[in-house]
Amino acid sequence: MKLSAFTDVCLRTVMVLATPGTGQLTSRQIAESVGVPYNHVAKAVLELRTLGILQVTRGRNGGAQLSDGALDFSLGSLLRKLDKRTDIVDCSDHDAQSNCPLSGNCRLRAVFRQAREAFYASLDPLTIHDICPASSAMPFTGLPFPTVRALS
């Protein structure tokens, strides 16, 4: 199971904001601390705000911070909401010429859906608090940004 680059950026954003002593940060500050382009972090902040994980204040002294109770949010539940993919394998347009010839009698998609759900279920008992740093001594700088594949 591979997380999307967007989900990775969302998790990094949450982890930075959950670092003890961090407080409120702008999207630019988050982007600089995790080595991710600003526009990716801005989209992540917007989505996390929509999900109720972050509180965002606009304006000169604005920024993002974790919402009350965000640290108790289930990691599995968060990943389900962030992962917009419908299937692990895209069978609908495998070569841009025609649909997969096995699509009428294939059980692989159902098996992969079950595997993905088992992955999320294994993360359900964990919370955001469980993946966050215990102290502010561990900087996030230098994390490699995931490669984003171009859609063809």
Side-chain angles (χ1 to χ4, degrees), residues 19-86:
T19 302
T22 300
Q24 183 172 285
L25 295 175
T26 65
S27 295
R28 280 208 195 282
Q29 290 170 318
I30 296 167
E32 289 170 8
S33 71
V34 296
V36 174
Y38 165 77
N39 59 330
H40 293 286
V41 172
K43 290 176 188 176
V45 166
L46 180 62
E47 181 68 18
L48 291 166
R49 188 188 109 218
T50 301
L51 295 175
I53 302 296
L54 300 183
Q55 291 177 336
V56 177
T57 307
R58 300 187 85 179
R60 182 176 176 172
N61 295 317
Q65 63 186 7
L66 290 179
S67 300
D68 293 336
L71 290 176
D72 298 324
F73 203 85
S74 164
L75 189 57
S77 178
L78 178 61
L79 292 178
R80 281 184 193 91
K81 291 177 181 184
L82 293 174
D83 190 3
K84 307 289 188 206
R85 296 174 294 183
T86 56

Side-chain angles (χ1 to χ4, degrees), residues 60-112:
R60 182 176 176 172
N61 295 317
Q65 63 186 7
L66 290 179
S67 300
D68 293 336
L71 290 176
D72 298 324
F73 203 85
S74 164
L75 189 57
S77 178
L78 178 61
L79 292 178
R80 281 184 193 91
K81 291 177 181 184
L82 293 174
D83 190 3
K84 307 289 188 206
R85 296 174 294 183
T86 56
D87 285 312
I88 292 176
V89 177
D90 184 13
C91 303
S92 61
D93 204 15
H94 74 289
D95 65 359
Q97 300 295 322
S98 63
N99 288 338
C100 177
L102 302 174
S103 64
N105 195 23
C106 179
R107 294 189 230 160
L108 189 59
R109 290 172 81 181
V111 169
F112 282 147

